[in-house]
Amino acid sequence: MRLLLVEDDPAQLDPLHLVLSEVGHVVDAVTDAETAQWLIEQKDYDLLILDWMLPKISGVSLCHQYRSAGKTAPVLMLTAKDTTIDKVTALDAGADDYLVKPVDVVELLARVRALGRRSPQWIGDTLSIANLHLHLTTLKVERQQTQVQLSGRESQLLEYFLRRPYQVLTREQIELALWEWGTEPESNAVASQVRRLRQRLQAVEASDWIETIYGVGYRLSPPPQSA
């Protein structure tokens, strides 16, 4: 998933960024709410992880602003506050879950997985459409009992398509989804990744499910008979 991680302490931010990236998420990690606000305006996230005690603008205020703007992605709040009233405050501001510091990495990853399952295409640890299944733990795509191993980037791209089936996705949207903030992919990076993913999908006879919308981008469109 594409995640926004906001934590003002680099000693806590960097390890969380690393572990979330290692399990396959694309993570924009920032230390202040102002940068987070700008990123939220530029990108669509699958999940926000917010520290409560941010300078100037708190994580709770940021969460409330996010919900007031009509954004619906799950929000996980991180904080040292652990009283019932604190939890109620965070949940009433729009948070979906709450994790008390110091953060246990195993529990964090479990909660991230649980919040990610709110996608309608998610069944267990698998994203599916028609008879095509992406196993997020093993990075394997499966159709009609045939499995193909994907690379991390190929899996991220297919996941992005599966979470937005039948939508026309521009090259810019895909760049923003697959590359972390501050990185500069090459001009043909999206086309190259789509070509590689199609090559992988040939083994399960689904390479033509990814349509090219000339001059715009791409769309995942399973044929009706695949259902």
Side-chain angles (χ1 to χ4, degrees):
M1 295 186 290
R2 162 149 309 263
L3 310 182
L4 177 60
L5 172 63
V6 189
E7 165 62 67
D8 66 311
D9 182 0
Q12 298 183 58
L13 178 72
D14 293 343
L16 295 179
H17 183 189
L18 178 62
V19 72
L20 289 166
S21 298
E22 284 180 339
V23 297
H25 300 298
V26 180
V27 185
D28 290 337
V30 299
T31 57
D32 62 274
E34 293 86 349
T35 303
Q37 288 174 320
W38 181 83
L39 285 170
I40 287 168
E41 292 176 357
Q42 306 300 315
K43 301 185 178 188
D44 291 324
Y45 289 98
D46 299 307
L47 172 66
L48 277 63
I49 303 175
L50 309 177
D51 178 33
W52 183 317
M53 300 298 290
L54 297 170
K56 297 184 180 179
I57 303 172
S58 72
V60 169
S61 295
L62 183 59
C63 179
H64 181 73
Q65 293 172 12
Y66 185 74
R67 294 295 185 228
S68 297
K71 303 283 188 176
T72 59
V75 175
L76 173 60
M77 192 71 64
L78 306 180
T79 180
K81 297 173 176 285
D82 61 355
T83 67
T84 299
I85 189 63
D86 291 327
K87 295 176 183 178
V88 170
T89 298
L91 295 172
D92 283 348
D96 296 87
D97 202 355
Y98 188 103
L99 191 56
V100 176
K101 294 181 176 181
V103 173
D104 180 279
V105 169
V106 174
E107 183 178 4
L108 171 67
L109 294 177
R111 289 177 184 262
V112 167
R113 289 194 300 271
L115 291 169
R117 291 189 189 103
R118 297 189 178 185
S119 168
Q121 285 76 41
W122 190 306
I123 302 173
D125 284 328
T126 302
L127 278 170
S128 302
I129 188 167
N131 58 3
L132 184 76
H133 313 289
L134 174 63
H135 301 287
L136 296 166
T137 303
T138 60
L139 307 187
K140 291 182 178 180
V141 62
E142 179 181 3
R143 181 172 180 244
Q144 298 174 337
Q145 298 183 330
T146 299
Q147 290 191 347
V148 179
Q149 183 69 54
L150 303 181
S151 70
R153 187 72 78 190
E154 291 162 355
S155 176
Q156 290 169 351
L157 178 56
L158 182 55
E159 179 181 350
Y160 187 67
F161 279 127
L162 285 168
R163 289 181 180 276
R164 297 157 183 85
Y166 307 104
Q167 297 182 32
V168 177
L169 303 171
T170 67
R171 290 171 177 82
E172 181 182 22
Q173 286 176 306
I174 296 171
E175 281 186 0
L176 291 173
L178 264 65
W179 281 271
E180 294 181 1
W181 177 60
T183 61
E184 291 291 336
E186 296 181 1
S187 58
N188 66 339
V190 171
S192 296
Q193 289 299 325
V194 170
R195 183 175 63 254
R196 293 189 185 101
L197 179 57
R198 281 174 170 155
Q199 290 171 347
R200 298 287 191 186
L201 293 177
Q202 285 178 354
V204 294
E205 299 181 356
S207 61
D208 59 343
W209 289 24
I210 301 176
E211 296 181 81
T212 298
I213 310 301
Y214 290 99
V216 182
Y218 304 93
R219 176 173 57 200
L220 178 66
S221 297
Q225 64 269 24
S226 66

